[in-house]
Amino acid sequence: MTPPSDPGSLPPLRVAVLGCGTVGGEVVRLLLAQADDFTARIGRPLELVGIAVRRAGKERPGIDPALFTTDAQTLVSRTDIDLVIEVIGGIEPARTLILTALASGASVVTANKALLAEDGATLYDAAERAGADLYYEAAVAGAIPIVRPLRESLVGDEVTAVIGILNGTTNFILDKMDTEGAGFAEALADAQELGYAEADPTADVEGFDAAAKAAILSSLAFHSRVGIGDVHREGITEVTAADIASAREMGCVVKLLAICQLSDGGRPDGTGPGRTVSVRVHPAMIPRSHPLAGVGGAYNAVFVESRFAGRLMFYGPGAGGSPTASAVLGDLVTVARNRVRGASGPGESSYAQRVVTGIGDVVTRYHLSLAVADVAGVLATIAHCFAEHGVSIQTVRQQGREGDAQLVIVTHRATDAALSATVDALRRLDVVSEVTSVMRVEGE
Ligand SMILES: NC(=O)C1=CN([C@@H]2O[C@H](COP(=O)(O)OP(=O)(O)OC[C@H]3O[C@@H](n4cnc5c(N)ncnc54)[C@H](O)[C@@H]3O)[C@@H](O)[C@H]2O)C=CC1
Ligand SMILES: N[C@@H](CC=O)C(=O)O
Ligand code: NA
């Protein structure tokens, strides 16, 4: 009988890391700390051969300074590297570096949702051509396994909706505003300090980050190519303390939601031809009893609805160095195992080519605050405006102020197009001095 070979004595798989910031720093630290376990799990050792950084002189304790280079392009052009981890972020130079790595024969692990949502097709095609892996679990919802469940576990089912909280920074901010009465700027500064925010936090607070993740999840869930430009996006910069207080009075909480839905095909079981997809990211009020309402801090949660499995919920840390590094390293071990077997994992599946529809047809409920003149007949004028546009009012609450009043209106379900036309018409009414806020109400 041949004795089993010691995996540690086999030739190593060579690894390069691009970027050594919040995520990259943790990836390198945990990769080195778990070297022996990774060797056993993969069946061959990993050898870290280079770390591309922007500034070489920076003190990085525990890492051999000889590994650092500021020339990422030369590093990824090496043909002796098996695995490249891209954690620089942004579009360029990340795209060129990933394409060079794939063309040089490496498999790639990335956390870069912005790039995947902007130009994933170019990367997937390049990986396919090279026969290499492109894995990106960390790109959506940090540590939560959601990419692989959609790409592999649920590939025998039909996913009809993916709904969730996909951005840790904005969830952290909204949670602090709700539970501690914190101000927006103060909560954002804390999120940056804790390593949750993107290099440019505009990506978080304006909803671009969640929209990128929604595009990636929709592409996987609906076997189509959905890009960031297909996603209706609204951020949280216009959510006020008054909105949060108003939500509380209704027994609700404000969350930045991502909602990706497959339309009904018209047949009794929901299937049928011409099914389309809608993808949107916006703040919404949800009842405090809803499972997503209890998702606090930088945690994320994703509901998946599918035809045969029913409803599934994924929950966990959505941002931060170590949680994100956990997802990156899970991918690293997986693509390394594929290399050892001379195989590659599943590529892109976009055969369904679903059409993505605009926000106008989306149906939901709305919460509106209006500053109105406190005069006889104002309620009738406003109710008439809603009725004219086919939007039915569920509740009206009036808070008097000197000379004018604040009306809080919750509608029944209406299309976004009908609601937008109503708001435009309300703004033109003499009795309405301001439409103070408009927010969707979801989850009922
Ligand atoms: N921080 C988080 O919680 C999460 C981050 N991500 C993603 O992970 C990636 C990295 O994010 P962070 O580590 O938070 O960002 P970061 O800004 O902390 O780190 C990026 C690092 O890349 C370096 N860099 C920039 N240009 C470079 C170049 N040309 N060559 C070499 N290094 C370069 C920067 O100096 C910085 O140290 C991004 O794609 C981000 O969207 C994904 C999930 C969670
Ligand atoms: N900035 C992102 C980081 C993880 O993707 C977030 O806040 O969720
Ligand atoms: Na993930």
Side-chain angles (χ1 to χ4, degrees):
M1 206 172 97
T2 328
S5 58
D6 168 17
S9 66
L10 296 173
L13 293 169
R14 296 195 175 87
V15 182
V17 178
L18 312 179
C20 197
T22 304
V23 178
E26 278 301 280
V27 165
V28 170
R29 187 179 72 79
L30 296 173
L31 178 56
L32 296 173
Q34 300 184 97
D36 292 343
D37 284 322
F38 282 7
T39 302
R41 290 174 201 173
I42 294 163
R44 271 172 66 181
L46 296 178
E47 183 191 354
L48 184 57
V49 296
I51 305 169
V53 292
R54 196 156 43 185
R55 283 186 298 119
K58 198 171 154 191
E59 181 82 359
R60 292 177 174 97
I63 309 174
D64 178 359
L67 289 174
F68 293 110
T69 173
T70 51
D71 187 355
Q73 186 60 34
T74 299
L75 183 61
V76 292
S77 303
R78 279 174 58 171
T79 51
D80 63 336
I81 291 180
D82 300 283
L83 311 161
V84 169
I85 299 172
E86 184 277 308
V87 276
I88 289 176
I91 308 302
E92 287 294 352
R95 173 172 42 201
T96 303
L97 294 171
I98 291 176
L99 292 174
T100 308
L102 290 168
S104 306
S107 285
V108 172
V109 172
T110 178
N112 194 335
K113 53 272 167 124
L115 175 57
L116 290 164
E118 173 75 24
D119 196 14
T122 301
L123 304 185
Y124 303 135
D125 289 348
E128 184 81 31
R129 268 199 312 279
D133 279 329
L134 175 66
Y135 272 52
Y136 48 91
E137 183 58 74
V140 185
I144 304 174
I146 183 64
V147 169
R148 203 159 311 150
L150 287 173
R151 189 146 92 154
E152 297 180 31
S153 321
L154 287 164
V155 74
D157 205 325
E158 182 182 72
V159 175
T160 52
V162 180
I163 299 169
I165 294 171
L166 299 181
N167 183 268
T169 301
T170 47
N171 201 56
F172 179 87
I173 294 172
L174 292 171
D175 194 28
K176 262 187 170 276
M177 287 171 79
D178 179 44
T179 57
E180 297 172 24
F184 184 92
E186 170 201 344
L188 172 58
D190 286 352
Q192 287 178 289
E193 181 64 30
L194 290 162
Y196 303 149
E198 295 302 302
D200 175 3
T202 313
D204 297 294
V205 297
E206 293 293 2
F208 290 102
D209 179 78
K213 292 164 176 169
I216 294 168
L217 292 187
S218 306
S219 302
L220 290 165
F222 308 130
H223 301 276
S224 299
R225 281 187 173 171
V226 180
I228 184 109
D230 297 316
V231 183
H232 174 84
R233 176 199 51 79
E234 294 167 36
I236 64 160
T237 47
E238 284 172 23
V239 176
T240 61
D243 291 327
I244 287 172
S246 210
R248 189 177 297 116
E249 278 169 34
M250 284 173 57
C252 287
V253 62
V254 177
K255 294 287 184 190
L256 184 71
L257 296 187
I259 302 178
C260 320
Q261 287 167 314
L262 181 62
S263 73
D264 197 321
R267 292 193 188 128
D269 67 353
T271 63
R275 302 175 73 186
T276 57
V277 163
S278 66
V279 191
R280 53 194 165 111
V281 167
H282 52 70
M285 295 183 182
I286 53 171
R288 282 186 188 263
S289 56
H290 192 281
L292 288 177
V295 177
Y299 277 73
N300 284 188
V302 191
F303 277 110
V304 176
E305 293 176 11
S306 74
R307 226 171 125 205
F308 309 121
R311 295 188 91 199
L312 303 127
M313 184 175 178
F314 301 80
Y315 170 79
S322 316
T324 309
S326 163
V328 169
L329 293 171
D331 279 352
L332 182 74
V333 170
T334 305
V335 300
R337 283 172 168 169
N338 289 345
R339 284 256 147 171
V340 168
R341 289 185 298 117
S344 52
E348 187 196 19
S349 169
S350 59
Y351 74 93
Q353 297 181 22
R354 305 271 184 214
V355 170
V356 185
T357 55
I359 188 74
D361 296 333
V362 167
V363 176
T364 191
R365 294 166 62 222
Y366 295 85
H367 173 283
L368 297 95
S369 296
L370 314 176
V372 300
D374 198 3
V375 294
V378 65
L379 272 181
T381 308
I382 286 168
H384 182 249
C385 185
F386 277 82
E388 257 186 344
H389 293 89
V391 178
S392 165
I393 292 175
Q394 184 184 7
T395 60
V396 182
R397 198 156 37 87
Q398 179 171 346
Q399 290 157 350
R401 292 202 310 214
E402 242 170 68
D404 63 4
Q406 192 74 21
L407 280 190
V408 177
I409 297 175
V410 180
T411 73
H412 284 292
R413 284 163 64 77
T415 63
D416 196 276
L419 196 280
S420 296
T422 310
V423 171
D424 287 346
L426 286 169
R427 288 200 167 110
R428 288 194 296 271
L429 290 177
D430 288 341
V431 292
V432 174
S433 39
E434 194 186 353
V435 178
T436 328
S437 87
V438 180
M439 198 178 290
R440 295 174 183 83
V441 182
E442 302 282 349
E444 282 179 328

